[in-house]
Amino acid sequence: MFYKKIIFLECDLGGRDAKIYLTLSKFLENKISHAKVYLISRINIKFFITNFKNSIFILTPQKINRYKTHKSNLFYILETEGFLNKELYHLTYQRKNLQNIKKIFVWNNLTKKNLVTEYKVSKENVSVIGPFRLVYLSILKKNINKFTVGVLCRNVGLSNFKNISKIKFIYDYIQLEKKNKVLGLKEHWSFQEIIENNIKSVENIIKILDYYNDKKININIRPHPNENFKDYIFLENKYTNVKIDRSENFYDWIENVDIVFTPSSSTNIDLILSNIPLIDLKGNYKKETFLNLHKQLSHKVDFNNIKLTIKDLKKIRASKNNKLFDQFKKKYLNNCNIDFSHMVESLKKESSNLPSQHYWKLIIYDFYNNFRYLLACLYKREKIDFNYNFSYVFKKYSINQKLLNKFNTVKFKFY
């Protein structure tokens, strides 16, 4: 009963994507006989890579060769987002780390083409599966309670996850610039631009909150995953109509907002596919991949003279029927086509050559983390997350049956 082929799947952004990746884990377990698919994160990955042999690891593209591993382990890459800009590849893929990868699963043919031509990866080793993460949007149900204005933040230069020193933030970017010069690469971001644009964005958020403070409009602010939501909590005390979103799942937030003030970001795609109108928050990075799309599809506001009443906000409609978006959907989103067949076939084949093993270590690891979590909650009287432990008991992470039903069809179009 406890002897299975063990496959580890790395979840991209912890809480935000846990439900999607847990569902993907269940889907793969259903398709691959005698397999145990276990979800891990980039924070606790070291424990599993160093303590398990004869296992398959399906990892995000970033820093594949992170830790020493046993030669009996097999590695795959599952892309978390597609790419449109060649300058971004070096931030994610590293040529030297792609040599021992069995297969790379990507979002679109453009990524495949660039990996083959620029990174000399064999065609047979790259499979297009489509933007699987976005399939969740097709099963969302909008909350029809009070009209709610969403504010999407990306102020990572001002508020950092776990309160990383801002001095260290600048130091890290300077080191990255030096490294890229040696490699002959252009730096995609500069810390000066990030901080300058973050300040502009925060100024506009404050102007929004001041304007709508006495207008009985609910405002729900969603910090970026790399921000510390506690930095925003004081706003709930300053403004009675403001709520800081603490939900683990980003898509729970999408279900509860009707229109969103947002800078240019990849999450704009989630909003557009969810038929949610965008208002440009400004503070956009000049080299942002989605900037042109954002400019075309977002409503513009003069933040020095905001005049949008609740009636005006309700009249704004999402602009998704647009030539630029159609091109984008085709290139970046694989025309919203999903195909898991190559992924399933490859994992079936490779796992059949691995020995089954007792997964008691995983059971003990779960028990240990859940016990620590419970003690911390009792001692601190607040919920504390330990290394993104995907606990069904305390964090309420679970699979989504509707999403699983979609995945089980293997090949489908979701939009």
Side-chain angles (χ1 to χ4, degrees), residues 281-313:
L281 185 60
K282 299 186 178 176
N284 300 309
Y285 305 146
K286 291 176 185 176
K287 293 183 181 179
E288 164 62 51
T289 306
F290 306 93
L291 186 56
N292 286 337
L293 187 70
H294 176 78
K295 283 180 177 178
Q296 280 210 23
L297 299 185
S298 62
H299 187 80
K300 306 301 180 289
V301 170
D302 179 0
F303 286 96
N304 292 318
N305 188 25
I306 302 174
K307 291 182 179 179
L308 286 173
T309 65
I310 189 167
K311 285 185 179 179
D312 294 328
L313 290 172

Side-chain angles (χ1 to χ4, degrees), residues 59-112:
L59 307 178
T60 60
Q62 293 86 355
K63 300 176 183 175
I64 287 296
N65 195 22
R66 281 169 275 197
Y67 309 104
K68 288 184 179 178
T69 180
H70 194 268
K71 60 183 179 182
S72 65
N73 290 326
L74 303 174
F75 290 89
Y76 287 77
I77 292 177
L78 176 59
E79 196 169 64
T80 53
E81 288 185 348
F83 284 100
L84 291 176
N85 192 329
K86 284 185 180 180
E87 289 181 10
L88 280 174
Y89 276 76
H90 75 275
L91 296 177
T92 303
Y93 289 98
Q94 296 177 17
R95 243 186 222 92
K96 64 178 182 180
N97 294 332
L98 298 179
Q99 306 306 314
N100 299 316
I101 302 299
K102 282 289 178 183
K103 225 173 185 70
I104 304 173
F105 304 111
V106 300
W107 277 29
N108 55 57
N109 280 301
L110 190 63
T111 305
K112 178 174 181 175

Side-chain angles (χ1 to χ4, degrees), residues 5-9 32 35-38 56-58 347 351:
K5 312 292 179 76
I6 297 179
I7 299 172
F8 292 101
L9 173 65
I32 304 165
K36 171 66 179 174
V37 183
Y38 190 85
I56 291 175
F57 287 85
I58 308 170
L347 290 171
S351 63

Side-chain angles (χ1 to χ4, degrees), residues 322-376:
N322 174 285
K323 279 188 178 179
L324 182 63
F325 181 67
D326 288 340
Q327 291 170 6
F328 176 87
K329 187 174 73 170
K330 185 177 180 180
K331 274 189 176 181
Y332 180 74
L333 301 180
N334 197 40
N335 225 11
C336 294
N337 287 305
I338 304 297
D339 184 356
F340 286 120
S341 58
H342 293 294
M343 186 180 193
V344 171
E345 286 167 16
S346 183
L347 290 171
K348 272 184 179 179
K349 180 182 175 183
E350 295 300 336
S351 63
S352 66
N353 297 322
L354 292 177
S356 294
Q357 53 184 308
H358 203 298
Y359 58 91
W360 58 267
K361 283 185 196 174
L362 299 181
I363 298 170
I364 292 173
Y365 181 83
D366 278 342
F367 177 81
Y368 169 68
N369 267 291
N370 288 335
F371 185 64
R372 284 178 68 199
Y373 183 88
L374 180 59
L375 287 179

Side-chain angles (χ1 to χ4, degrees), residues 188-206:
H188 195 70
W189 312 114
S190 71
F191 65 87
Q192 294 98 332
E193 185 193 355
I194 289 173
I195 293 170
E196 182 184 336
N197 283 289
N198 286 177
I199 291 170
K200 185 185 291 184
S201 176
V202 171
E203 285 177 342
N204 289 340
I205 289 172
I206 293 168

Side-chain angles (χ1 to χ4, degrees), residues 147-153 208 217-222 243 253 256-262 271 276-277 279 281:
F147 186 83
T148 299
V149 173
V151 177
L152 199 59
C153 302
I208 292 165
I217 292 179
N218 296 319
I219 297 177
N220 195 316
I221 299 175
R222 173 78 181 184
K243 180 183 176 184
W253 180 76
N256 290 294
V257 294
D258 299 281
I259 191 167
V260 174
F261 285 88
T262 174
L271 297 170
I276 295 175
I279 301 178
L281 185 60

